[in-house]
Amino acid sequence: MKPFSKADSGPRAVRGSRRPDLAARVRGRARTLRAHLESREALADAIRQANASLEPSKVANWLVTEAAGWVPATAWAVTAYDADGRFVLLADDGLTPPLHQALWSVANWVLRNGVEFSSADLSADPRADAGANGSGLGFPLICRNKTMGALV
């Protein structure tokens, strides 16, 4: 899939803001994204890439790269439990220290609940940890009916 471009951005930014909020960017790409994700080629590529390596960080890096093309977010990350049951960051794209609290808040919620998470304002969302700011999306990574990680 081609990388996100300004031509795909959907609604224009409100005067005085730098760019549309996350929800507006996702809405602007929804039709294109749905068509891509429902294609046989996307499924074949996902299966091929997921089986290309037994190294979790390589698969996680591929997933982060794909997610950045699907949804134009500031940052994407894959988190999972390691062999000792600790929560670790496997891969990221665009993650900066100010975003860590939001990342861990969303990732922890997704891992505990095993379902998708979305919030326009983490600071006002009762599911988010104190100190988490910004918008957040999270998707569980499930294997054999167990949530093993999260794409956030």
Side-chain angles (χ1 to χ4, degrees):
M1 184 169 133
K2 67 182 176 84
F4 177 74
S5 70
K6 288 186 179 183
D8 298 350
S9 64
R12 293 265 183 211
V14 175
R15 186 187 311 233
S17 69
R18 292 183 357 176
R19 63 190 220 185
D21 67 4
L22 179 59
R25 287 181 277 150
V26 170
R27 276 191 307 273
R29 295 263 316 192
R31 184 172 292 155
T32 304
L33 178 60
R34 180 176 301 256
H36 171 72
L37 293 177
E38 290 177 346
S39 72
R40 287 183 179 162
E41 294 81 21
L43 177 60
D45 186 45
I47 292 169
R48 187 174 35 259
Q49 293 297 330
N51 291 306
S53 174
L54 295 176
E55 183 62 39
S57 63
K58 288 184 180 180
V59 176
N61 277 315
W62 169 80
L63 184 54
V64 163
T65 301
E66 284 294 297
W70 299 335
V71 177
T74 302
W76 281 103
V78 171
T79 61
Y81 293 113
D82 67 7
D84 297 324
R86 292 176 298 200
F87 200 46
V88 295
L89 180 67
L90 291 178
D92 74 90
D93 178 28
L95 187 63
T96 60
L99 299 174
H100 282 215
Q101 182 65 33
L103 164 80
W104 293 114
S105 179
V106 173
N108 280 319
W109 191 93
V110 169
L111 283 168
R112 280 192 315 268
N113 294 281
V115 295
E116 295 83 10
F117 177 98
S118 65
S119 177
D121 183 1
L122 293 170
S123 65
D125 195 313
R127 301 171 297 171
D129 297 336
N133 294 305
S135 298
L137 287 172
F139 305 95
L141 302 175
I142 300 170
C143 179
R144 297 185 176 134
N145 294 322
K146 183 175 180 184
T147 303
M148 305 300 291
L151 171 65
V152 179

